[in-house]
Amino acid sequence: MKFRLIIDKTEEEEIIARVHERSSLTEQIEALVLNYAGTDRIYGFAEDEIKLLKFSQIECITVLDGKIYAIDNHAERYRLKQRLYELEEILPTYFFRINKSTFANENSLERFSASFNGAVDAIFKCGYQDYVSRRCFAAIKRRFDKK
């Protein structure tokens, strides 16, 4: 297998992959390319500072008290200006919905915890936890069954 990267700022960006057949690698590459919105960062606001957050640093994006926050890997909360549907369009594929108002970073999930009453919580590496809705749990289970 060969890899060639040509950087030319005068040309339109294009990615071509020549392969013998589709595989899980080609599907991952395709998803990465199609979901790339030209940025891997987002601005977060906390009291008197503005921080440029990499998507890989964000454990989850959630609605708290009617406002949208990104929770980073140090459990710090940063207010976001975008709406959830706008974020859904730019988030990488490793983010997925765990309930109506929360997107989780798959790489930051520590575990799922089930209680006696049937509720399931997602527990993140930073210690934050949020509930997983029944509707989303089925999709999450299918997502992880594929891997």
Side-chain angles (χ1 to χ4, degrees):
M1 184 180 291
K2 296 179 186 177
F3 177 78
R4 187 170 70 173
L5 177 66
I6 301 169
I7 298 174
D8 185 354
K9 294 186 180 199
T10 62
E11 294 290 325
E12 181 182 1
E13 288 186 339
E14 176 183 32
I15 296 176
I16 300 172
R18 288 189 186 101
V19 297
H20 294 282
E21 60 186 41
R22 282 187 90 69
S23 66
S24 63
L25 175 63
T26 60
E27 289 175 11
Q28 289 174 355
I29 292 169
E30 182 180 20
L32 179 69
V33 170
L34 294 177
N35 289 321
Y36 182 68
T39 184
D40 64 345
R41 299 172 183 196
I42 193 166
Y43 287 101
F45 302 85
E47 293 184 22
D48 58 346
E49 72 174 327
I50 300 173
K51 185 171 181 181
L52 194 56
L53 301 166
K54 289 183 179 180
F55 287 132
S56 60
Q57 295 174 318
I58 298 172
E59 299 225 341
C60 70
I61 295 174
T62 189
V63 177
L64 301 168
D65 299 324
K67 296 179 177 141
I68 299 172
Y69 290 92
I71 299 174
D72 73 0
N73 48 13
H74 300 294
E76 298 290 327
R77 294 179 184 181
Y78 294 92
R79 173 100 162 73
L80 303 178
K81 299 290 184 185
Q82 296 87 346
R83 301 221 181 252
L84 282 178
Y85 70 88
E86 294 170 329
L87 291 166
E88 188 171 23
E89 293 175 4
I90 63 169
L91 286 172
T93 56
Y94 54 84
F95 276 87
F96 59 91
R97 197 177 283 271
I98 61 170
N99 61 48
K100 188 172 85 174
S101 59
T102 303
F103 290 104
N105 180 341
E106 176 180 334
N107 303 320
S108 297
L109 275 171
E110 187 171 290
R111 68 181 190 277
F112 291 101
S113 174
S115 62
F116 291 113
N117 64 1
V120 176
D121 286 341
I123 300 173
F124 296 90
K125 292 178 182 174
C126 70
Y128 181 78
Q129 71 181 55
D130 205 342
Y131 76 96
V132 178
S133 71
R134 289 185 209 199
R135 179 178 297 170
C136 292
F137 188 71
I140 292 167
K141 191 170 182 202
R142 282 191 302 274
R143 178 186 184 107
F144 286 110
D145 283 344
K146 286 182 184 177
K147 292 185 178 193

